[in-house]
Amino acid sequence: MANPQSSDIPPRVHRLKAQMVAHSLDAVICMKPESTFYLSGFNPIIYSEPIFVILTPHLDPILLVHVLRGKHAEASTWTPNLFLYGTWSNITTLAPTWPAALTTLLGDGNSKRIGVEQEFLPVTQFHQLVQALPTAQLADCTALIHQCRELKDADEIASARIAAQLADRGMEAAVAALQLQGATERDVVLASMRAMHEDWAAHYPDVEICDFGSLEGGYTSGLTAWVLSGPRQSFGCDNPVQRVPQAGETVSVFVWTVANGMHAELERTVCIGSVAASEKEALHATLDIRGEIALRLTPGTAVGELYETAKKGYDRRGYGEYLPGRIGHSIGLGPHELFSIDARSDRTLLPGMIVSLEPHIHIDGVASTQYSDTILITEDGHECLTRFPARVIQVAQAIYT
């Protein structure tokens, strides 16, 4: 973003600042890729050198990046406070190393109470922080950031809508490809990914589809799909292979997308011609159970109650012993973000949350169902962001004879 201003700072920053004051934190230092993006709008894709966001109750976020990422950060971030560390060519930086840069920005800690993400922070970097800020008290702020991330800002919801639209396009292409004679799992995946990337190129010129990388690599595209057919459905996730789905089988199609950091997922089961009665019964049961849970997707509903609704639906239809450990999860900067919809969750649904709904039935050798949608909790209910029909999908058997 050229020439960012304080007016560009999104509401999530102010929510976190309020949490900092409530928990007596003088500063927060974030290093987790999702968190630094959340508080700056900058994703370097490759994190070969650490990226930092420093937040205090009274200043806009401070983005500290290695000099190699400086121009990219300057073009991307919405915070006006950008500093560089490291040595590269003749470029002036704050300090040659990130610990020295932190000391320049924060002193030796000045006996401050500083929040860090202990859930993510590597031990080596934690010790480097202690050495750089010897008088600071380092406290875990992971839960505070998670609490802020649960409620999406308007820009995040807009990006999630785009991710969902791209997922719909990918699913359309996957189902169409499954109707082609001799199409393999890989053919279907290629068709889905090609369609999503073409749609992105044609309609979303200002949308980034990169995902969050690591010290050793990056993801320039998060528009992905995978397909599991027949006996491979029990794998849950795997690279597609050169297997051709056979008549009478079902196929699990998974489409995961990202737009400006926000994820969406869309999953469906496709029948190749007529399938066994037991499989079709499981498909209808899954869809009916989804419908019962969806009635409870409203603000104020305890997440644990959603799981209990699912359990009753499984028991009533004779599938109780096949109840999965979770029937969904939150979605945002991660495809599986902060909490699961399970019996242990203590969360309550609130407007602005985004979740998946994915009860399924897997019985080895008998049935395998896979349905998932990306759903926004609204002020008066919910909105399904992914729009591909949730129904029993059957493609023509004659093609597979």
Side-chain angles (χ1 to χ4, degrees):
M1 179 182 292
N3 302 316
Q5 306 293 323
S6 290
S7 58
D8 298 318
I9 304 301
R12 51 188 171 271
V13 173
H14 303 295
R15 289 202 303 274
L16 184 54
K17 285 184 176 183
Q19 290 279 8
M20 291 170 62
V21 172
H23 290 81
S24 302
L25 290 176
D26 299 296
V28 161
I29 300 175
C30 293
M31 297 175 66
K32 186 177 181 179
E34 290 84 353
S35 299
T36 56
F37 174 81
Y38 182 68
L39 296 172
S40 73
F42 176 52
N43 178 0
I45 303 177
I46 299 175
Y47 291 78
S48 53
E49 297 288 348
I51 304 292
F52 299 84
V53 169
I54 303 163
L55 188 64
T56 67
H58 308 296
L59 296 175
D60 292 333
I62 297 170
L63 176 60
L64 176 64
V65 307
H66 189 269
V67 60
L68 183 60
R69 312 297 175 199
K71 290 296 183 182
H72 188 185
E74 184 179 356
S76 302
T77 186
W78 37 252
T79 181
N81 299 326
L82 172 63
F83 294 92
L84 309 179
Y85 73 89
T87 56
W88 203 271
S89 186
N90 63 349
I91 302 173
T92 301
T93 67
L94 198 61
T97 66
W98 67 259
L102 284 180
T103 299
T104 300
L105 291 168
L106 293 172
D108 65 358
N110 297 323
S111 301
K112 291 182 171 68
R113 191 164 185 264
I114 298 177
V116 296
E117 298 171 284
Q118 291 184 8
E119 181 183 75
F120 166 81
L121 198 59
V123 173
T124 298
Q125 290 181 343
F126 179 80
H127 287 309
Q128 288 175 298
L129 280 175
V130 171
Q131 292 171 359
L133 307 170
T135 68
Q137 176 190 353
L138 300 183
D140 188 15
C141 67
T142 304
L144 303 187
I145 295 174
H146 283 187
Q147 185 174 349
C148 289
R149 280 177 55 185
E150 284 183 0
L151 302 182
K152 278 43 177 182
D153 287 346
D155 65 309
E156 295 179 295
I157 293 172
S159 293
R161 289 186 191 281
I162 294 171
Q165 290 162 8
L166 291 168
D168 285 337
R169 183 68 191 95
M171 185 61 71
E172 291 169 4
V175 173
L178 280 168
Q179 300 179 62
L180 300 177
Q181 186 173 11
T184 67
E185 290 183 359
R186 290 186 181 179
D187 292 330
V188 176
V189 166
L190 287 171
S192 177
M193 294 177 65
R194 183 183 305 114
M196 288 190 287
H197 283 87
E198 289 176 349
D199 198 55
W200 164 65
H203 299 112
Y204 304 106
D206 299 320
V207 171
E208 289 193 347
I209 57 170
C210 53
D211 215 331
F212 300 103
S214 67
L215 292 175
E216 299 185 6
Y219 302 95
T220 56
S221 174
L223 306 183
T224 190
W226 70 96
V227 169
L228 300 172
S229 60
R232 285 171 37 79
Q233 288 177 291
S234 62
F235 290 10
C237 181
D238 191 24
N239 254 200
V241 297
Q242 297 284 34
R243 184 181 189 277
V244 178
Q246 300 299 302
E249 290 183 341
T250 57
V251 178
S252 298
V253 181
F254 305 77
V255 180
W256 287 14
T257 57
V258 62
N260 296 330
M262 292 297 291
H263 291 76
E265 72 174 47
L266 173 60
E267 299 166 4
R268 292 291 184 267
T269 300
V270 180
C271 304
I272 307 302
S274 296
V275 299
S278 59
E279 189 119 41
K280 186 160 286 190
E281 181 182 329
L283 289 167
H284 284 293
T286 300
L287 292 169
D288 290 343
I289 293 168
R290 275 172 49 101
E292 293 167 0
I293 301 167
L295 295 174
R296 306 297 309 280
L297 289 174
T298 57
T301 299
V303 168
E305 290 180 17
L306 300 178
Y307 190 78
E308 182 61 26
T309 298
K311 183 179 184 303
K312 291 177 181 177
Y314 278 74
D315 289 340
R316 190 164 57 251
R317 292 169 176 83
Y319 293 105
E321 63 183 299
Y322 303 106
L323 176 70
R326 69 176 180 203
I327 56 161
H329 50 80
S330 62
I331 302 178
L333 296 179
H336 286 198
E337 196 179 44
L338 305 173
F339 63 85
S340 292
I341 301 177
D342 58 23
R344 298 180 300 278
S345 178
D346 60 357
R347 301 297 208 283
T348 298
L349 294 181
L350 297 171
M353 287 183 172
I354 299 179
V355 299
S356 74
L357 179 59
E358 51 182 41
H360 57 258
I361 297 171
H362 290 303
I363 308 173
D364 285 344
V366 176
S368 184
T369 71
Q370 192 74 42
Y371 289 87
S372 181
D373 282 286
T374 301
I375 299 171
L376 169 68
I377 305 302
T378 63
E379 292 289 343
D380 56 0
H382 68 272
E383 176 188 351
C384 197
L385 300 182
T386 42
R387 302 298 180 88
F388 193 88
R391 56 179 173 78
V392 176
I393 305 166
Q394 182 172 320
V395 298
Q397 181 180 9
I399 296 173
Y400 290 84
T401 58

